Structure formats: C-alpha cells, structure tokens
C-alpha cells in the first residue's frame, strides 16, 4: 500500500493517479474505484484535544486540512433500549449522514479545480454535495429523479446548485449524470463510484469506536441501497482491527426495504452478485430503493466476511418505526428509520447494537 492515494479497480487491479485527468470509473470494466492507500493508527488518547469534527481522525483520512468543512461529524449517540443505541446522523449540517462523504468529494474537487461538479442522487447525497460545493465556491449540477421529495429538491436549489430533474427512476438518473460526467472539465462527485466518499462515511464507525472508549458494539446495523455507509463501516472496522485497536470485528447487518431488496435476495440465495432479476415495488424508503447497486459484490462480501446478515422491512414496519421514534422525540425520515424498523422487535437478541438515524423527518414528512 502507498501513502499517496491512487484509484484502484477492485475487479481488474487497474490503477490511476488521483488528479484532474482521472476517469470517474475504471476504463477497463466501467466499475467503481477503490482507494489504494495506507492509513496509520488513530491515537485514542490524543483525540480529546483535536478539532470537534470528523477531521479529528486525520491518520485515517486521505485528505487533511480542509477548507470546506461545516463541522460535520461527532453526532450524538442515544439509547433506545438496554442493548440498542441510535447515532443521530440526521443532525449533520444538511440533515443526513451523506455529509460525511460529501465533504471529502468537495474538498477533493476544490483541489482539482474542475470547471463544474456533477452529482446524482435520490436526494440526500445531492443536497450534501450541493451544500459543500457552495461552501467551496464550486459550480455544481445535481441530477435527481422527478419523484424526489419536494423538500429535498428545495434544499438542493437553496444551496445554489443547478437542478436536473430526470424522468424515470434512480437508474435513469444515474445514466443521465454519467453521460454529463464524461464532458471535459467535469468532476463527477459520485457517492457510488468515487471512493473518497467511503473514506468519509467510515468516520461513522471511528466515532462509535471513540464513543465506546476504544471498542465497538457487537452488531453495527446499516441501511443499504448503494451501500456507501456499509462499505465505509467495513473499511473502518478493517483498519481498526489491522492496527490492533479493536480485539474483534463486529457483525454488519444490512437493512433493505422488502419492496426493493436485490442485495438481500442475493445474500439469502447464497449468490456472490445480484440475481438476474429481483422484483421491485414502490417504497417509502426512497433513499435505499436501488435495484442494481454497482458495488453489489463488495457489499455482499463485506456482510458475509463480518458474520452478519441482511434484514428486510415492510412498508407498514417503516411507518410504525417512524411513529415510534417520533414518540421518543426523534423525527426521522422514512428511509432513516429502516434500521430501527428491522431491530425494534428483538431481531438481534441480546447483542449490543447501534443503528443510524440517517436523515431528518423534515426532508420527507411523516409516511402515509
């Protein structure tokens, strides 16, 4: 491994330098990049004197000394039951966990100085990229499906991004953005294809490790659409374990809406990749309604390697979980309640676990 980050394809091992001329995907197979780069151990005892944001874990981050930070990270951890706690990532600057990765993409883009930044999203990632590009003074275009929540659309526009509403589903939106990303002078701030995003989301687990005094819960539960939080969590766990900072790895439990659950179907079928076809239906969990996630093989492998599993939740369970959390003082969007919906009835037994509450309820309102 190198101390100078390079893009590396996990399929064919193609590598390229991280610079303004780098393609947004592997030129051989068209797949997403990983980052070839070596971290150093984060010294737990010195953290108390560091900046109060995710940038405190500097040894684990491929960028340092940011100028675009909005103070992201360091979100509260609160108990829901005797064994399950919730991390309140909806209290981020743009009200979702996507700020963890978006700040990395915007900081990288600022250093590469493109003519324009382009992103595609079901809402929250696009909002986060728009906000951090505004902070960095970068022109930005965000592609979203036409059916995206009006409040998310309003938030993207408020940050000054050019909004591109795409007819069709999330897949059609991604295709439109990728076509635009091939133009000269464009930086594709893809939370799926660019691994800097994953090295931002991994700080979620570094914060859990710090908050638990140098340990982790037995189970980490994450919602999965494109898998950016799960893969970031897996990165952090492997880094902490490799540096001898945790004695054992926690199990990763991935949650999907039953209506759009291609990864859960593949996992329970014992497949290493997505099945040829998995039926889908409309779901309240728009943020994880991804029928063909590009990093599917990595997601499935990470869950299996951890000894974890996939859980699915129905639309009624999503509604009930959102009402339950609201009654506890936590107003969370319908996608963001999926993990609590999956475990609130005791699916994990008496194991200790943390669920993320990923997006604020003000983004979508109460599910009907």
């Amino acid at each position: 491994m190198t101390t100078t980050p390079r893009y590396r394809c996990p399929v064919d091992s193609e590598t390229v330098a991280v610079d303004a001329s780098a393609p947004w995907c592997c030129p051989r197979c068209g797949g997403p990049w990983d980052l070839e780069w070596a971290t150093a151990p984060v010294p737990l005892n010195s953290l108390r004197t560091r900046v109060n944001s995710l940038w405190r874990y500097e040894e684990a981050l491929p960028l340092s000394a940011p100028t675009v930070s909005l103070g992201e990270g360091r979100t509260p951890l609160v108990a829901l039951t005797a064994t399950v706690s919730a991390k309140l990532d909806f209290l981020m600057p743009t009200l979702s966990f996507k700020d963890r990765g978006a700040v990395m993409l915007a900081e990288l883009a600022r250093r590469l100085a493109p003519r324009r930044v382009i992103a595609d999203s079901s809402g929250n990632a696009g909002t986060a990229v728009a906000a951090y590009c505004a902070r960095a003074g970068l022109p930005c275009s965000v592609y979203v499906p036409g059916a995206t929540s009006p409040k998310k659309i309003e938030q993207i526009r408020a940050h000054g991004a050019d909004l591109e509403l795409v007819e069709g589903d999330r897949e059609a939106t991604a295709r439109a953005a990728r076509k635009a990303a091939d133009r000269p002078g464009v930086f594709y701030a893809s939370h799926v294809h660019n691994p800097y995003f994953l090295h931002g989301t991994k700080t979620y687990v570094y914060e859990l490790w710090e908050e638990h005094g140098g340990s982790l819960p037995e189970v980490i539960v994450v919602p999965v659409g494109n898998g950016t939080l799960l893969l970031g969590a897996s990165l952090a766990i492997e880094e902490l374990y490799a540096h001898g900072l945790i004695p054992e790895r926690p199990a990763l439990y991935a949650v999907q809406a039953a209506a759009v659950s291609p990864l859960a179907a593949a996992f329970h079928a014992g497949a290493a990749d997505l099945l040829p076809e998995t039926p889908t239906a409309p779901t309240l969990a728009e943020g994880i309604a991804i029928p063909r996630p590009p990093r599917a093989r990595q997601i499935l492998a990470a869950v299996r390697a951890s000894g974890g599993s996939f859980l699915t939740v129905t639309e009624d369970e999503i509604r009930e979980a959102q009402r339950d959390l609201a009654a506890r003082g936590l107003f969370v969007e319908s996608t963001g309640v999926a993990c609590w919906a999956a475990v609130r009835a005791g699916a994990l037994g008496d194991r200790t676990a943390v669920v993320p509450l990923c997006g604020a309820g003000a983004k979508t309102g109460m599910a009907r």
Side-chain angles (χ1 to χ4, degrees):
M1 297 290 280
T2 175
T3 56
T4 301
R6 291 179 62 86
Y7 291 134
R8 182 181 185 278
C9 177
V11 176
D12 55 35
S13 299
E14 175 85 2
T15 66
V16 300
V18 179
D19 58 28
S21 66
W24 59 263
C25 66
C26 175
R28 288 188 186 177
C29 69
W33 293 116
D34 283 349
L35 205 60
E36 187 175 75
W37 173 67
T39 65
V42 174
L44 181 64
N45 292 336
S46 71
L47 291 177
R48 65 175 64 90
T49 62
R50 295 190 178 186
V51 62
N52 193 35
S53 73
L54 62 80
W55 295 95
R56 66 203 278 110
Y57 310 111
E58 58 187 49
E59 292 86 356
L61 299 178
L63 298 171
S64 61
T67 64
V68 300
S69 176
L70 292 167
E72 55 286 330
R74 301 287 285 155
T75 53
L77 189 66
V78 300
L80 295 178
T81 72
T83 56
V84 179
S85 296
K87 190 156 173 59
L88 310 191
D89 260 27
F90 69 88
L91 298 180
M92 288 285 206
T94 76
L95 309 181
S96 89
F97 87 92
K98 296 292 176 64
D99 289 3
R100 293 185 183 277
V103 68
M104 291 288 171
L105 295 182
E107 180 63 27
L108 178 60
R110 185 193 68 79
R111 299 180 189 197
L112 299 178
R115 178 177 53 81
R116 177 163 291 273
V117 175
I118 285 177
D120 61 281
S121 167
S122 59
N124 284 338
T127 297
V129 170
Y132 284 96
C133 282
R135 181 74 167 175
L138 294 167
C140 176
S141 297
V142 178
Y143 289 68
V144 298
T148 298
S149 163
K151 289 296 184 183
K152 293 179 181 179
I153 289 174
E154 180 181 0
Q155 194 177 7
I156 292 168
R157 284 184 168 142
H159 292 306
D162 293 332
L163 186 71
E164 301 286 346
L165 292 172
V166 179
E167 290 301 319
D169 60 10
R170 183 66 182 82
E171 295 289 306
T173 303
R175 287 194 297 270
R178 291 167 193 167
K179 183 177 180 180
D182 287 329
R183 298 170 187 160
V186 169
F187 176 79
Y188 185 25
S190 171
H191 61 291
V192 180
H193 283 80
N194 193 302
Y196 277 78
F197 194 93
L198 305 182
H199 283 269
T201 62
K202 77 181 182 184
T203 60
Y204 175 87
V205 166
Y206 273 93
E207 289 178 19
L208 291 179
W209 169 74
E210 182 182 358
E211 289 156 352
H212 284 80
S215 65
L216 288 172
E218 295 171 277
V219 178
I220 293 176
V221 189
V222 287
V224 174
N226 277 309
T228 55
L229 184 55
L230 183 139
L231 291 173
S234 179
L235 274 173
I237 290 166
E238 292 306 315
E239 290 169 6
L240 289 165
Y241 185 77
H243 291 310
L245 297 175
I246 52 174
E248 56 187 4
R249 302 173 181 90
L252 288 169
Y253 272 67
V255 178
Q256 295 204 289
V260 185
S261 53
L263 290 161
F267 181 88
H268 292 299
D273 205 344
L274 298 174
L275 302 178
E277 283 190 38
T278 305
T280 63
T283 178
L284 295 164
E286 63 180 9
I288 54 173
I290 310 296
R292 308 294 298 180
R295 292 186 183 269
R297 293 183 68 90
Q298 289 177 289
I299 296 165
L300 292 165
V303 173
R304 288 195 174 102
S306 77
S309 188
F310 273 81
L311 304 172
T312 59
V313 291
T314 66
E315 301 304 292
D316 283 344
E317 287 171 330
I318 291 171
R319 292 186 185 93
E320 291 166 8
Q322 189 183 40
R323 288 193 294 266
D324 178 70
L325 286 171
R328 298 166 183 257
L330 301 167
F331 186 28
V332 184
E333 70 168 293
S334 47
T335 298
V337 306
C339 291
W340 178 234
V343 307
R344 63 192 288 255
L348 303 177
D350 60 359
R351 288 179 290 177
T352 58
V354 172
V355 299
L357 303 185
C358 296
K363 287 173 173 278
T364 58
M366 290 296 288
R368 305 298 181 193

